[in-house]
Amino acid sequence: PQQARAFRVFKSELDEDFHLQALAGTGKTFMIERLIDCLTSYRPLVLAMTKVQLDALQQRVGTGRVTGMTFSELAVRSLQLDVGRHGSRSFRLSMRRARVEMSQIANHLEFKSVGNLTPSQVASVANRTVFRYCTSRDAEIGVHHLPSLGGSYSVPQKELLVQCANRLWQETIFPSSSSLEIPVRGYHRIKEVSLSSTAAVEPGFTHVIVDEAHDLPAPMAQFLDQCSIPVITLGDSCQRLDGAAVERAPHVRRREIFHSLRSGREMEAAVNTLIEQNPVVDVHPLEGNREQDTRVVFYSRPFIPEQPTTILVWSEWGMFEWFQRLANAKAQFSLLPGCEGGFRWFVLDCIGLYREGIRPTHGALFKYTSWDALRKDVSKRESAFDRIDRMLEKGYSTMDFERSLMKLDQAGKAPYKLGTVVAAKNSEVNSVMLAPELLDSSGSDRLDAARAFAAVYTGGTRARHQLFVPGHLQEWASDTAARARCS
């Protein structure tokens, strides 16, 4: 009935914008199929964040029935057709494996040291600053886009770092020479198209349908809002993992679906705590499916379930801890797709910093010059860190890690799987265990709380039949929400 009512609202005015807020497991993909069925005499364009999402959706609705693009592909195509652009230049994206060393960028742009940051580290800060700018609605790069620097920096030093970020942004979008090719990613082009007042969706398309619209980057939302054709978005703002829910324009028609087809009534106790306490999101609580059996187990101490389970964590620290926990238990497990490469880099950087004082290059570690500095900062917000610290103190080495890594099931058929919530966010599995560390990093402000709630909600709603949750979930949610209200 909820789907039918939402569909009637959409169908009543096909030339108007529409947004459907649909909680996890309520049938968003089914709704997209019906929307496309309703637009057979039109030419809709379907958008998704990733190629994997897009391919899965197009297979579901029928290959060849509808044209699909990722957000990045739409940005590139719109820039290519932009009647207001000046000059002739390529708007292509770099290959995913294209990389450039921060030292090369620093040399190319003649960066100097800033405070305790070496030129290479300045380039790394500039790179992260550009990313934060590209995911914002802001027209210019500012001090507020700088990442945490892990030290005390003066206003002039911060302004100098902003200047470096501006130089990197300009060199990325408008390269001044061919001596160094800085990789151009999708988020660069999405930001670029959002800054154009003349860019538009390719002529011929009559509607835009956005799947998993909670992943919609703010600049892409800006671009779509200025387009002249109807934009239909379907998403779940509770799954916005950066906590910054993107709102559609006030005139957009809205409907909600909150009756789950995937999860049973028992899931309500865990999920609705997160929905109701979220300080950023205001949606109707979940109603579980009376005909579906979903068992929720609240546990007090970390353990490895007896049955095949996907264990989800938030950070690399949680990955490191559970990787060794599973390896020490001689459990057969694999890592979720997309986790292994960055994870190996992270662990080797940790060991190198601890054992030899080698300055790390991994994005989560680069700002730390010593293990003591890292311990002082991270141990306060990552409970897994203390256990990893003790493990390294006992002699854990690169050889120990590589030995455990070789035992992983590379085919992905092992009964246990380990990964981050980010890697699992578009999947459904029979059994999920939320690691305790998901309830550790809640921060103190509204956005931090929203991120924490989104991570636990997204991870938990991947489960079809069984969910293992830390027993103090409700107390944690109440405490986190209270801190957010006081900030």
Side-chain angles (χ1 to χ4, degrees), residues 1-47:
Q2 290 182 355
Q3 290 180 340
R5 286 193 292 270
F7 183 72
R8 284 196 295 270
V9 171
F10 164 74
K11 193 174 180 180
S12 65
E13 293 180 286
L14 294 179
D15 59 345
E16 295 292 333
D17 288 358
F18 180 71
H19 175 66
L20 181 64
Q21 159 59 36
L23 294 177
T26 56
K28 287 188 292 294
T29 305
F30 175 80
M31 283 293 291
I32 290 179
E33 291 182 76
R34 302 289 75 79
L35 297 179
I36 291 173
D37 288 342
C38 191
L39 296 173
T40 52
S41 59
Y42 296 85
R43 192 186 174 210
L45 170 66
V46 174
L47 300 180

Side-chain angles (χ1 to χ4, degrees), residues 136-256:
S136 75
R137 292 178 177 268
D138 300 324
E140 298 179 350
I141 300 176
V143 171
H144 59 289
H145 295 122
L146 292 173
S148 172
L149 300 173
S152 178
Y153 288 81
S154 65
V155 172
Q157 287 174 326
K158 290 181 179 179
E159 290 176 348
L160 183 56
L161 291 172
V162 169
Q163 291 177 22
C164 292
N166 268 304
R167 290 175 61 190
L168 177 58
W169 164 249
Q170 291 297 322
E171 187 66 21
T172 303
I173 302 303
F174 304 102
S176 60
S177 70
S178 59
S179 60
L180 180 66
E181 185 174 331
I182 298 174
V184 181
R185 307 302 184 193
Y187 60 84
H188 292 121
R189 295 304 184 204
I190 292 172
K191 185 63 178 181
E192 186 178 4
V193 79
S194 76
L195 296 172
S196 171
S197 60
T198 53
V201 174
E202 182 177 344
F205 290 112
T206 59
H207 297 74
V208 173
I209 299 175
V210 183
D211 186 25
E212 304 289 353
H214 47 267
D215 289 331
L216 191 65
M220 178 54 65
Q222 280 181 299
F223 170 66
L224 293 176
D225 280 344
Q226 70 189 29
C227 292
S228 59
I229 62 177
V231 177
I232 299 100
T233 49
L234 301 91
D236 179 8
S237 54
C238 294
Q239 295 187 57
R240 180 77 184 204
L241 292 176
D242 64 3
V246 175
E247 291 290 334
R248 296 292 309 277
H251 72 273
V252 177
R253 297 172 299 163
R254 291 170 169 80
R255 283 297 181 272
E256 282 191 66

Side-chain angles (χ1 to χ4, degrees), residues 22-26 28 212 214 236-241 258 260-264 267-275 285-288 294 296 310 312 421 424-434 438 453-469 473:
L23 294 177
T26 56
K28 287 188 292 294
E212 304 289 353
H214 47 267
D236 179 8
S237 54
C238 294
Q239 295 187 57
R240 180 77 184 204
L241 292 176
F258 45 84
S260 178
L261 304 173
R262 181 192 305 162
S263 304
M267 184 72 87
E268 294 176 7
V271 169
N272 287 340
T273 294
L274 304 166
I275 294 175
L286 180 78
E287 291 182 359
T294 304
V296 179
T310 297
L312 297 180
V421 168
K425 66 179 183 176
N426 293 314
S427 63
E428 295 179 25
V429 294
N430 288 334
S431 179
V432 169
M433 179 179 185
L434 300 181
L438 277 167
F453 286 133
V456 180
Y457 170 91
T458 302
T461 53
R462 302 309 92 200
R464 294 192 191 99
H465 304 306
Q466 186 158 244
L467 174 64
F468 297 93
V469 186
L473 174 68

Side-chain angles (χ1 to χ4, degrees), residues 72-117:
S72 300
E73 289 171 338
L74 174 62
V76 169
R77 184 61 177 156
S78 298
L79 286 168
Q80 290 171 337
L81 299 174
D82 186 1
V83 297
R85 65 187 174 95
H86 300 288
S88 58
R89 60 188 176 94
S90 170
F91 290 99
R92 64 180 178 80
L93 300 177
S94 303
M95 298 288 289
R96 289 190 63 182
R97 61 178 176 270
R99 295 286 185 273
V100 62
E101 296 295 329
M102 290 298 111
S103 58
Q104 294 177 283
I105 292 178
N107 290 334
H108 182 68
L109 298 180
E110 299 181 344
F111 288 164
K112 308 299 182 184
S113 297
V114 177
N116 292 326
L117 298 173

